[in-house]
Amino acid sequence: MNNLSPTEFALDEAGIAAARNSLDDGAVTPAYGPHRDAIIKLLNDSLATELVCVLRYKRHYFMASGMSSPAIADEFRAHAKEEAEHADRLAQRIVQLGGEPDFCPSTLLERSHAEYDDSNDLQTMVRKNLIAERIAVETYRQMITLLADKDPTTRRLLEDILADEEEHADELSDWLEK
Ligand SMILES: [Fe+2]
Ligand SMILES: [Fe+2]
């Protein structure tokens, strides 16, 4: 096994010294500096995606309820609730990084990775939701790779959310087979 030399394993003393300054930035130390705006932009795009997913699942929940399809309606409602929680966690992280969460409704769809859907039959709803979940899985996976060690806290948050999205996609593909 190759042992790391003492220099490879040393802390970045300059980074620690810089952390003493810019107290206005709260938990955000200067090491975030060059990436902070890019990270906030990625998080805001995901926030928009989660909000569009909430709206799509809400629409599908109420439509499926009207069609007396209680089991799938419950699934849509549960997903809507979890996407809303994802949105809250993303917004909270954006503020922690010194940014502003963008909830502006007029630009929501163009900023979202996933689409809204107002179809009226259950199979199409399930398929559209599965597409949106797969888009979410892919974008979170790419973001996690991009973040790597640049912002471990955001990366862990996204890893958590990614696990939920994979579960959502799994549940929906079960419904497709029914
Ligand atoms: Fe989500
Ligand atoms: Fe999801």
Side-chain angles (χ1 to χ4, degrees), residues 129-143:
N129 288 324
L130 179 55
I131 292 169
E133 295 293 352
R134 288 169 54 85
I135 289 169
V137 166
E138 181 58 22
T139 47
Y140 283 125
R141 203 190 55 75
Q142 289 188 17
M143 284 166 74

Side-chain angles (χ1 to χ4, degrees), residues 50 53 82-83 86 133 136 140 161 164-165 168:
E50 295 290 354
C53 288
E82 288 181 24
E83 311 304 10
H86 294 164
E133 295 293 352
Y140 283 125
I161 296 178
D164 287 347
E165 310 301 13
H168 292 169

Side-chain angles (χ1 to χ4, degrees), residues 19-123:
R20 292 181 203 284
N21 303 319
S22 326
L23 297 188
D24 287 349
D25 287 341
V28 181
T29 62
Y32 282 96
H35 310 293
R36 177 159 73 171
D37 290 348
I39 295 171
I40 289 169
K41 162 81 168 68
L42 286 175
L43 291 176
N44 258 321
D45 290 349
S46 284
L47 173 61
T49 306
E50 295 290 354
L51 294 171
V52 167
C53 288
V54 171
L55 297 173
R56 194 190 57 252
Y57 274 125
K58 286 272 184 193
R59 151 89 189 194
H60 289 179
Y61 161 62
F62 284 106
M63 290 300 287
S65 306
M67 291 172 206
S68 321
S69 310
I72 186 75
D74 283 352
E75 187 86 61
F76 292 156
R77 185 174 55 178
H79 286 199
K81 189 168 163 280
E82 288 181 24
E83 311 304 10
E85 285 163 9
H86 294 164
D88 285 353
R89 293 177 72 186
L90 293 168
Q92 189 180 37
R93 184 63 189 150
I94 289 167
V95 171
Q96 275 175 354
L97 287 170
E100 295 180 12
D102 189 347
F103 285 89
C104 179
S106 62
T107 56
L108 212 49
L109 259 187
E110 65 202 52
R111 292 182 292 118
S112 168
H113 300 295
E115 272 135 44
Y116 183 72
D117 171 69
D118 56 5
S119 57
N120 288 323
D121 71 286
L122 286 172
Q123 276 301 308

